[in-house]
Amino acid sequence: MQTPLYHEHVRLNAKMVDFHGWDMPVWYTGIKEEHLATRRHAGLFDVSHMGEITVSGEAAAPFLDRVLTRDIASMARGKALYTFLLNDAGGIIDDLIVYCLEPLTGYLLCVNSSNKDRDLAWMTGQNAEHALIRDMSEAYSMLALQGPAASAILRACLGFDDTGMRPFSFVVTDTPAYGELIVSKTGYTGAGGVEIFLDAGTAPALWHAFTRGGATPCGLGARDTLRLEMGYPLHGNDIDDTTTPLEAGLDFAVDLGKKGFIGEPALLAQKDRGITRRLAGLVVLDRGIPREHCRCLKDAREVGTVTSGSISPVSGKGIALAYVDARIKDGDELLVEVRDRTLLSVVTKPPFVPGTLQA
Amino acid sequence: MNIPEGLRYTKDHEWVRVEDGTVRMGITDYAQHELGDVVFVEIKPAGTQLKAGDAVGTVESVKAVSDVYAPVAGTVTEVNAELEASPELVNSDCYGRGWMAALTLASTPDLDALMDAAAYRAYLEQEAK
């Protein structure tokens, strides 16, 4: 599948890959350059592959309160929340952001493209409340404008001032040139900025406006290194339907007090028992890069497995997320097996670097 | 795609340059482009004996790690120490300062098995289809 910006990516000579069925750019000029441009100035990402699902009707809030882990009914218009769809065992079917368009009756869910069909099937199967669930992914495109200069570029290109907006808030704004935009103070880079949902037809024009305004086109490669520097999990790597939010250290996105959501009994039981593994950050002291599936050793005993690993373009050090024995503490040293070597690493609570850097 | 004349090429995208009984080697422009930003290069130390096709080291980019193979049989005589501090030379100057190792040439006929620039270009075009 191709996003509305496919021809733009090709024109920019991007290295393209098949990402869960989507032809997506991994990089245009290089991951490091794009990564640093985002931390220091502004990066522009085509994330139109993301899935958009609307849930509406009188039953919308009661239904979402049962399938999602946050308190949905109390959301005000213009508020967004990071949350999960869990299975009965408390495993993460998907992580997503829910946007309250209309309190109690209108919500937009932004889900991982690779999970969208599974999410839809799960929600439809659970929909005893008869909420109206619609896949809007074809109608919506999505751009992420991220970095310390994002506000200035938004102001210059759209006359839009986002400086008063709080993180995880959004506004719906009508523009003469690009139609209706949902501008959201969210992102996957830690660099600040916004994510914008818009009509697929006007996405290329807004993309051009932002690049002319000084934003650097960035591919999925930089998106991955940026999120890893912040310690943000990637579904399919660091979290999946066999790991729980408690094990992943994502308790903040679970309102255990609200009662009655799918997976809650399993999470309460796990909380009682105590977790046996946890998702930890690793910073490598030796020269080398940990990669997914590398084993972690302590005193010659296997104590964990890397789920995401790369090099931090900012620090030049190897960084990773790994599930480790829950008894392992931040500050402990581990060895990570990389091919025929082991790399000395320190268990470190992310973020691994500051989200924005001086230009 | 930069494919200089006068070098020999492998199907694994290494190049060799013959220099007086030794060969200097590295990875091609195509290979560095496919890898993206090179962040580590590890080459077996001088004295290592290799058969043609043995791994002579690894080159690692932000995204991926890949083995580098000896294009010919020989013994490593020199390793490009500059790559330890500046691995990005593999991207910026893959046929020059981004060279990886020098090997003794154990057997001249090994070279005949490698592609010249025209054959390598044709090979890349074939692979792209």
Side-chain angles (χ1 to χ4, degrees), chain B residues 9-22:
Chain B
Y9 298 91
T10 72
K11 289 184 173 177
D12 299 313
H13 311 289
E14 291 94 9
W15 58 264
V16 293
R17 181 184 291 123
V18 184
E19 299 174 345
D20 261 352
T22 65

Side-chain angles (χ1 to χ4, degrees), chain A residues 127-142:
Chain A
N127 190 10
E129 290 87 348
H130 302 292
L132 184 59
I133 302 170
R134 293 175 68 189
D135 180 1
M136 299 296 287
S137 306
E138 296 225 349
Y140 279 113
S141 279
M142 189 176 179

Side-chain angles (χ1 to χ4, degrees), chain A residues 15 26-27 30-33 221 224-225 287-289 291 310-311 316 339 341, chain B residues 33-42 58 60-65 83-84:
Chain A
K15 180 172 169 61
V26 208
W27 69 75
I31 292 175
K32 279 163 82 170
E33 189 179 327
D224 191 52
T225 50
R287 199 167 160 272
I289 305 178
R291 302 284 184 185
S310 190
I311 185 170
R339 297 184 297 281
R341 298 197 300 143
Chain B
H33 195 260
E34 284 297 298
L35 278 165
D37 294 321
V38 171
V39 288
F40 286 125
V41 179
E42 237 181 336
T58 54
E60 195 154 9
S61 70
V62 176
K63 272 306 254 195
V65 56
L83 296 182
E84 184 154 341

Side-chain angles (χ1 to χ4, degrees), chain A residues 188 224 227-228 231-240 242-243 247-250 277-282 289-296 302-310 319-324 334 336-337 350 352, chain B residues 63:
Chain A
Y188 198 38
D224 191 52
R227 69 92 192 168
L228 186 58
Y232 299 158
L234 172 63
H235 196 278
N237 278 56
D238 312 303
I239 52 177
D240 61 27
T242 69
T243 62
E247 293 167 331
L250 300 168
R277 59 175 177 173
R278 70 181 186 98
L279 190 63
L282 301 176
I289 305 178
R291 302 284 184 185
E292 192 185 349
H293 306 308
C294 288
R295 298 199 308 159
C296 304
E302 183 172 346
V303 293
T305 308
V306 171
T307 50
S308 288
S310 190
I319 53 173
L321 294 175
Y323 276 102
V324 298
L334 300 179
V336 180
E337 270 187 355
F352 299 115
Chain B
K63 272 306 254 195

Side-chain angles (χ1 to χ4, degrees), chain A:
Chain A
M1 287 173 286
Q2 297 176 352
T3 77
L5 290 159
Y6 173 79
H7 295 288
E8 193 54 29
H9 304 322
V10 171
R11 196 183 68 78
L12 290 170
N13 214 4
K15 180 172 169 61
M16 304 295 287
V17 287
D18 177 353
F19 183 76
H20 302 290
W22 290 87
D23 271 335
M24 296 297 286
V26 208
W27 69 75
Y28 303 86
T29 56
I31 292 175
K32 279 163 82 170
E33 189 179 327
E34 293 163 24
H35 180 113
L36 294 173
T38 304
R39 290 255 177 270
R40 291 178 179 149
H41 188 69
L44 180 61
F45 303 76
D46 174 18
V47 285
S48 302
H49 62 302
M50 298 293 284
E52 289 87 10
I53 298 169
T54 56
V55 178
S56 56
E58 293 304 314
F63 167 68
L64 287 177
D65 258 325
R66 211 164 48 74
V67 295
L68 297 177
T69 55
R70 302 296 285 266
D71 185 348
I72 303 301
S74 71
M75 287 179 82
R77 180 185 289 112
K79 178 80 187 151
L81 289 171
Y82 177 68
T83 185
F84 307 108
L85 277 177
L86 299 183
N87 60 28
D88 290 317
I92 301 171
I93 295 170
D94 203 1
D95 65 334
L96 58 102
I97 293 178
V98 56
Y99 297 82
C100 178
L101 300 169
E102 196 61 52
L104 301 176
T105 58
Y107 299 90
L108 171 66
L109 278 56
C110 180
V111 304
N112 285 295
S113 62
S114 51
N115 291 334
K116 187 196 71 183
D117 292 342
R118 226 165 48 119
D119 296 348
L120 276 168
W122 172 260
M123 288 198 290
T124 305
Q126 297 293 337
N127 190 10
E129 290 87 348
H130 302 292
L132 184 59
I133 302 170
R134 293 175 68 189
D135 180 1
M136 299 296 287
S137 306
E138 296 225 349
Y140 279 113
S141 279
M142 189 176 179
L143 301 181
L145 177 65
Q146 301 276 293
S151 290
I153 294 172
L154 270 179
R155 202 160 43 242
C157 296
L158 293 173
F160 183 89
D161 184 5
D162 79 328
T163 48
M165 289 176 70
R166 298 170 64 90
F168 282 87
S169 70
F170 71 92
V171 295
V172 182
T173 178
D174 213 2
T175 63
Y178 313 106
E180 188 180 274
L181 309 179
I182 299 176
V183 182
S184 164
K185 226 23 199 174
T186 50
Y188 198 38
T189 66
V194 297
E195 294 177 302
I196 300 176
F197 299 91
L198 75 168
D199 188 89
T202 54
L206 188 58
W207 170 277
H208 284 129
F210 285 155
T211 55
R212 277 197 305 273
T216 300
C218 297
L220 293 181
R223 184 169 155 87
D224 191 52
T225 50
L226 286 158
R227 69 92 192 168
L228 186 58
E229 274 186 347
M230 290 296 110
Y232 299 158
L234 172 63
H235 196 278
N237 278 56
D238 312 303
I239 52 177
D240 61 27
D241 55 12
T242 69
T243 62
T244 73
L246 305 184
E247 293 167 331
L250 300 168
D251 315 41
F252 77 92
V254 181
D255 293 331
L256 273 178
K258 81 169 188 177
K259 293 263 192 281
F261 63 88
I262 296 168
E264 187 183 36
L267 294 187
L268 286 169
Q270 185 176 51
K271 194 168 180 166
D272 245 24
R273 258 191 340 262
I275 54 172
T276 57
R277 59 175 177 173
R278 70 181 186 98
L279 190 63
L282 301 176
V283 173
V284 178
L285 302 180
D286 289 330
R287 199 167 160 272
I289 305 178
R291 302 284 184 185
E292 192 185 349
H293 306 308
C294 288
R295 298 199 308 159
C296 304
L297 309 173
K298 189 173 174 60
D299 306 324
R301 195 170 61 87
E302 183 172 346
V303 293
T305 308
V306 171
T307 50
S308 288
S310 190
I311 185 170
S312 158
V314 171
S315 71
K317 290 178 183 160
I319 53 173
L321 294 175
Y323 276 102
V324 298
D325 187 316
R327 290 167 294 190
I328 293 193
K329 297 189 172 48
D330 293 340
D332 286 359
E333 290 187 344
L334 300 179
L335 293 175
V336 180
E337 270 187 355
V338 177
R339 297 184 297 281
D340 53 350
R341 298 197 300 143
T342 56
L343 307 176
L344 183 62
S345 310
V346 184
V347 180
T348 306
K349 190 177 169 60
F352 299 115
V353 303
T356 61
L357 303 172
Q358 293 295 317

